[in-house]
Amino acid sequence: MDVNDVITFGDNKEYLILDITDFSNNKYIYTVRIDEEEIPTDEYKYFKVFLDNEEVSVEEVKDETLLKVLVSLFTNNYLNESKDNEQVA
C-alpha cells in the first residue's frame, strides 16, 4: 500500500491514497474518493490499516479525538513536504 494507490471497496467506491503515516504503532492513510473518470471528489477520509498474514484491510477512522490528531499529523507531513520541495527548487 503506497501513496497514489487506489483502494476499491465492495460498493465500488474508489479512494486514492494521498498520504500515509504511522501513529501509536498503527498505520493510517489519508484518502480522497475518486469518481468513475478517476477525478477526485470532495470526499476525504482517514483509514486505519490492518495487516493480517500479508492480507491488508482498512477501517474508516470515526473517533473524533483520533481524527483531530490525524489531521494535525497529515497537515504537518504536507507542510514539511512543501517546505522540502521549496528548498530543492
Side-chain angles (χ1 to χ4, degrees), residues 5-87:
D5 283 354
V6 174
I7 301 170
T8 304
F9 290 93
D11 59 2
N12 289 326
K13 286 187 180 179
E14 294 184 320
Y15 290 84
L16 175 68
I17 299 174
L18 300 174
D19 199 1
I20 301 171
T21 196
D22 291 309
F23 174 69
S24 196
N25 295 320
N26 293 301
K27 184 178 281 195
Y28 295 91
I29 56 175
Y30 175 49
T31 67
V32 61
R33 191 168 75 78
I34 54 177
D35 65 17
E36 301 80 29
E37 287 92 38
E38 297 187 3
I39 297 172
T41 67
D42 62 354
E43 184 180 339
Y44 294 85
K45 290 191 178 186
Y46 298 88
F47 294 96
K48 182 176 180 180
V49 178
F50 297 93
L51 299 172
D52 184 30
N53 296 332
E54 311 233 356
E55 176 101 7
V56 178
S57 62
V58 296
E59 178 180 290
E60 184 178 355
V61 176
K62 294 188 179 190
D63 178 87
E64 290 297 322
T65 303
L66 179 56
L67 282 171
K68 288 178 184 177
V69 171
L70 293 176
V71 167
S72 293
L73 287 171
F74 283 111
T75 300
N76 281 331
N77 284 354
Y78 175 77
L79 292 174
N80 288 334
E81 186 176 299
S82 295
K83 187 184 291 185
D84 290 344
N85 288 339
E86 282 181 12
Q87 292 177 358

